[in-house]
Amino acid sequence: QQPVQSPQAVILREGEDAVINCSSSKALYSVHWYRQKHGEAPVFLMILLKGGEQKGHEKISASFNEKKQQSSLYLTASQLSYSGTYFCGTEDFPSNTGKLIFGQGTTLQVKP
Amino acid sequence: DTGVSQNPRHKITKRGQNVTFRCDPISEHNRLYWYRQTLGQGPEFLTYFQNEAQLEKSRLLSDRFSAERPKGSFSTLEIQRTEQGDSAMYLCASSSRYEQFFGPGTRLTVL
C-alpha cells in the first residue's frame, strides 16, 4: 500500500525551513527519501533503517518513528536548488529486498 | 562516469510493436530494480534482481513484460505488443545493500 505524503506542495522563500512527512499503514524496514527535478531521475537523499541507522547527505536530516510508521524530512535554510519533487519510498518489514513503494510526492518550490 | 546508465533515453513506437530497454548498473552493485513512472506519480516497482536471479515481480506486471539480467551484469526490459497505456518513464536503479541509485530513465511513447 502506497505511503501518504504531506503536504502535497510547499512554496518557500530562500532561507526558510520545511518539513515533509511520510506515513505508512504497514510496519517498515526502511524509509528512503529522493528528490526529483523535472525531466530528471530521482536523486538519493537519505535512508533511515529500522533500529535507528541513517545514511544520507550532511545538509539534510530526517526522522523515523518506527512505532507510528512515519518519517519526516527536514529541509533547513532552503536554497533555490532544493526545488523539486520529494518522494519517500518505503520498504516493508521484514523484507530486505529493497523493494520500494513510493508516495505520491511533495512538490517544493523555493523562491528568491 | 560510474553511475547507472540506460539506453535508449527516448523511444517512440507504434502500438503493437515490441521494445527493449537496457540498464547498466554501477559495477559493484548486485541488486538491480526496474520501476515505471508516469507523470505526477512516484516510481512504481516492476521487478528486482539479485545478481542474475529475478527474485520478485510486481503483480501489476502483465505477461507482456519480461526482464533479464544475464550473468548478473546489465539488464534488459522487454515489452511485447505495446499498448498506449505503457507510455511512461522506465527507471532502473542499482544497489549494493541499502541506497538505490537511479539511472536517467527511458521515456517510452506509444502512438
Side-chain angles (χ1 to χ4, degrees):
Chain A
Q1 193 164 358
Q2 186 180 36
V4 177
Q5 289 185 230
S6 63
Q8 286 189 316
V10 183
I11 299 176
L12 298 174
R13 294 285 179 189
E14 266 187 300
E16 292 182 339
D17 302 338
V19 180
I20 300 172
N21 301 302
C22 176
S23 180
S24 175
S25 60
K26 293 188 171 185
L28 300 177
Y29 179 80
S30 65
V31 180
H32 303 228
W33 286 96
Y34 289 85
R35 176 171 58 220
Q36 186 175 32
K37 295 183 182 284
H38 183 70
E40 299 180 7
V43 173
F44 171 78
L45 296 176
M46 172 76 72
I47 180 174
L48 303 104
L49 299 166
K50 185 176 175 66
E53 186 177 358
Q54 297 186 13
K55 296 184 180 184
H57 287 237
E58 294 178 357
K59 295 185 178 180
I60 293 174
S61 63
S63 64
F64 179 21
N65 186 323
E66 297 174 27
K67 288 185 179 179
K68 293 185 177 180
Q69 294 104 247
Q70 293 175 347
S71 177
S72 295
L73 185 71
Y74 304 97
L75 303 169
T76 57
S78 58
Q79 304 171 17
L80 294 176
S81 61
Y82 287 10
S83 294
T85 302
Y86 289 77
F87 292 100
C88 69
T90 57
E91 183 182 5
D92 293 344
F93 183 83
S95 167
N96 191 17
T97 65
K99 170 187 171 183
L100 297 180
I101 307 299
F102 284 90
Q104 79 280 18
T106 296
T107 301
L108 177 71
Q109 186 179 3
V110 180
K111 294 186 172 182
Chain B
D1 185 13
T2 57
V4 179
S5 62
Q6 292 187 245
N7 287 289
R9 295 291 306 278
H10 303 273
K11 179 71 178 179
I12 299 173
T13 191
K14 292 183 179 180
R15 189 175 53 186
Q17 298 295 306
N18 298 343
V19 294
T20 300
F21 310 140
R22 176 178 170 126
C23 171
D24 287 273
I26 294 171
S27 60
E28 63 268 25
H29 286 182
N30 60 348
R31 295 182 173 188
L32 187 147
Y33 305 84
W34 284 100
Y35 294 87
R36 176 173 61 191
Q37 186 176 28
T38 53
L39 196 62
Q41 301 295 318
E44 175 188 28
F45 172 80
L46 294 179
T47 190
Y48 151 62
F49 290 85
Q50 179 143 342
N51 299 312
E52 66 275 10
Q54 187 174 18
L55 297 185
E56 189 164 347
K57 190 174 174 180
S58 170
R59 285 172 287 178
L60 301 175
L61 212 58
S62 77
D63 292 341
R64 297 184 296 106
F65 288 72
S66 62
E68 293 183 339
R69 192 184 181 196
K71 302 179 182 178
S73 56
F74 69 92
S75 176
T76 58
L77 177 68
E78 182 183 16
I79 309 174
Q80 295 182 328
R81 305 180 303 281
T82 52
E83 302 172 357
Q84 287 186 325
D86 297 332
S87 294
M89 176 74 85
Y90 289 83
L91 294 164
C92 173
S94 72
S95 170
S96 58
R97 181 72 191 277
Y98 296 122
E99 305 98 310
Q100 292 185 28
F101 296 94
F102 282 83
T106 295
R107 180 168 296 284
L108 173 66
T109 303
V110 182
L111 302 175

